[in-house]
Amino acid sequence: MKREYPCVEVNLGKITHNTREIVKLCSTKGIHVVGVTKVFCAKKPVVKAMLNGGLEIVGDSRIENLKRLEEFKCRKLLLRIPMESHAAEVVKYSDISLNSEIETIKRLSKAAKRASKIHNVILMIDMGDLREGVLERDVIDLVKEIISLENIKLAGIGTNLTCYGGVIPDGNNLGKLVMIKKEIKDKIGYEIPIVSGGNSSSLYAVMNGTIPDGINQLRIGEAIVLGRETSFGKDVPGCYKDSFTLKGEIIEIKEKPSVPIGTIGMDAFGQTPHFEDRGIIKRAIVALGRQDIVSEGLTPLDKQVNILGASSDHLLLDITNSCNLYKVGDVVDFNMDYGCLLRAMTSPYVKKYYVD
Ligand SMILES: *Cc1c(COP(=O)(O)O)cnc(C)c1O
């Protein structure tokens, strides 16, 4: 099949393998995995590959993505705190949502009533990372209010760490989350089924055995997709790190100086660039740019190729030291970090291909 560039090639077998490894690792601690699909825009072949790895529930931050997955019979979790204005869609297209605003939960209850449904809610508690979640001191009163709502089931409590504040999940913050579950039982007599202990950063605590007993759900995206936990960036044992490959086509190759000629002002993004003089170098331009990628998050598979920079539509490479004799029309392969993968999967200019 003729390919168009730029493109991302997804190895579905590796995604299934990674999912299976992580599901197995977590099950040794009694933890269920929610497979998070947002970084690849919930593309159906990848979702299917994840489900083949033994997942029963997928999570996404966008209700539009969950709506597109309606045909998949798995349970669906909405990760981002819902917009009040989306209450009807949230109830329709997700089985369970993460929440932190009582007025929104009331709206969900009303929408669920109209749809003759019971909607499941996980109450998010901020354990210090300062993104979403209610404060600990408000939990008991909120739980009382939530369990009194007619068409809502309080299915769990949860937290999110290492997203805004960079806070590492540990026995202290996750231990406290488990304590809150006990406190709810003691004070109100309500048994909380799910304790959702974070994202791929909590996998580190699973790997080294310090995840507190009582955490029974993790919401995992990056570790499945890139094979690494996100507290310290350590590899997850037995997982592939190259399930996604970015490919771009070379449109120009010239020997030119390493330092621009003339007075240096601002680049295309308002920054003043700096250059090291390495004489004449062999430079390649790839038809890829910041509309498609985050150049800082790209790693060429050819270790002798260096990235010089990128503007909106041009990626500049130094190919001076490469053993490959590149020519115009050749395709260059890259690995991507999370931010770059997110951009590439979201860019309408980047084609997506799936291989087994
Ligand atoms: C994105 C997200 C996750 C998954 O994060 P990864 O680092 O990709 O595992 C989990 N929970 C919430 C609330 C999220 O927004």
Side-chain angles (χ1 to χ4, degrees), residues 36 38 79 98 131-132 160 199-200 219-222 338:
V36 172
K38 68 185 185 215
L79 291 166
L98 307 183
R131 201 177 74 177
E132 72 272 50
N160 198 59
N199 53 51
S200 292
R219 311 173 305 268
I220 306 286
E222 180 160 350
Y338 186 86

Side-chain angles (χ1 to χ4, degrees), residues 56-108:
E56 279 146 32
I57 172 162
V58 295
D60 201 285
S61 44
R62 310 270 172 161
I63 198 67
E64 297 90 324
N65 283 352
L66 295 181
K67 181 177 177 180
R68 277 196 305 101
L69 299 180
E70 214 183 353
E71 70 198 65
F72 290 94
K73 288 303 158 223
C74 60
R75 282 163 61 85
K76 294 172 196 97
L77 181 149
L78 180 65
L79 291 166
R80 188 171 66 186
I81 306 301
M83 295 183 221
E84 265 189 354
S85 58
H86 276 173
E89 288 88 342
V90 171
V91 164
K92 182 157 188 208
Y93 300 113
S94 74
D95 304 286
I96 180 163
S97 60
L98 307 183
N99 282 271
S100 64
E101 289 290 346
I102 189 67
E103 290 308 318
T104 305
I105 301 171
K106 286 179 185 168
R107 290 252 198 141
L108 291 173

Side-chain angles (χ1 to χ4, degrees), residues 256-262 264 273-281 283 308:
K256 292 187 195 178
S258 42
V259 177
I261 302 131
I264 308 288
H274 298 279
F275 301 95
E276 184 197 339
D277 192 355
R278 287 178 287 121
I280 300 288
I281 57 174
R283 308 165 67 102
L308 295 169

Side-chain angles (χ1 to χ4, degrees), residues 50-264:
M50 266 189 175
L51 290 170
N52 288 342
L55 288 178
E56 279 146 32
I57 172 162
V58 295
D60 201 285
S61 44
R62 310 270 172 161
I63 198 67
E64 297 90 324
N65 283 352
L66 295 181
K67 181 177 177 180
R68 277 196 305 101
L69 299 180
E70 214 183 353
E71 70 198 65
F72 290 94
K73 288 303 158 223
C74 60
R75 282 163 61 85
K76 294 172 196 97
L77 181 149
L78 180 65
L79 291 166
R80 188 171 66 186
I81 306 301
M83 295 183 221
E84 265 189 354
S85 58
H86 276 173
E89 288 88 342
V90 171
V91 164
K92 182 157 188 208
Y93 300 113
S94 74
D95 304 286
I96 180 163
S97 60
L98 307 183
N99 282 271
S100 64
E101 289 290 346
I102 189 67
E103 290 308 318
T104 305
I105 301 171
K106 286 179 185 168
R107 290 252 198 141
L108 291 173
S109 180
K110 285 192 186 126
K113 185 166 188 181
R114 277 194 295 274
S116 309
K117 279 186 162 182
I118 301 291
H119 184 72
N120 293 287
V121 159
I122 291 180
L123 179 65
M124 292 299 274
I125 305 171
D126 195 321
M127 304 306 299
D129 199 56
L130 302 184
R131 201 177 74 177
E132 72 272 50
V134 304
L135 297 177
E136 243 183 286
R137 61 162 190 258
D138 298 326
V139 169
I140 294 294
D141 286 343
L142 280 167
V143 166
K144 284 183 193 159
E145 218 171 339
I146 295 167
I147 60 180
S148 76
L149 295 171
E150 229 181 316
N151 290 64
I152 295 291
K153 179 181 176 201
L154 181 60
I157 54 174
T159 196
N160 198 59
L161 292 159
T162 343
C163 263
Y164 172 71
V167 173
I168 302 285
D170 56 24
N172 200 10
N173 45 40
L174 290 186
K176 215 184 275 175
L177 190 65
V178 176
M179 288 304 296
I180 293 172
K181 171 191 154 108
K182 292 206 181 78
E183 194 189 338
I184 293 169
K185 171 80 179 162
D186 292 347
K187 291 200 172 146
I188 316 176
Y190 187 83
E191 185 80 54
I192 295 279
I194 299 171
V195 183
S196 191
N199 53 51
S200 292
S201 67
S202 296
L203 210 56
Y204 182 74
V206 179
M207 282 154 58
N208 72 6
T210 60
I211 191 101
D213 285 339
I215 300 291
N216 59 13
Q217 180 188 82
L218 293 180
R219 311 173 305 268
I220 306 286
E222 180 160 350
I224 294 175
V225 164
L226 295 177
R228 52 177 226 151
E229 57 78 27
T230 55
S231 272
F232 303 101
K234 297 239 184 325
D235 295 355
V236 183
C239 284
Y240 293 104
K241 298 172 60 69
D242 58 352
S243 303
F244 289 73
T245 309
L246 178 77
K247 294 167 180 284
E249 182 175 330
I250 297 177
I251 54 173
E252 180 187 298
I253 296 180
K254 306 269 182 233
E255 303 217 337
K256 292 187 195 178
S258 42
V259 177
I261 302 131
T263 308
I264 308 288

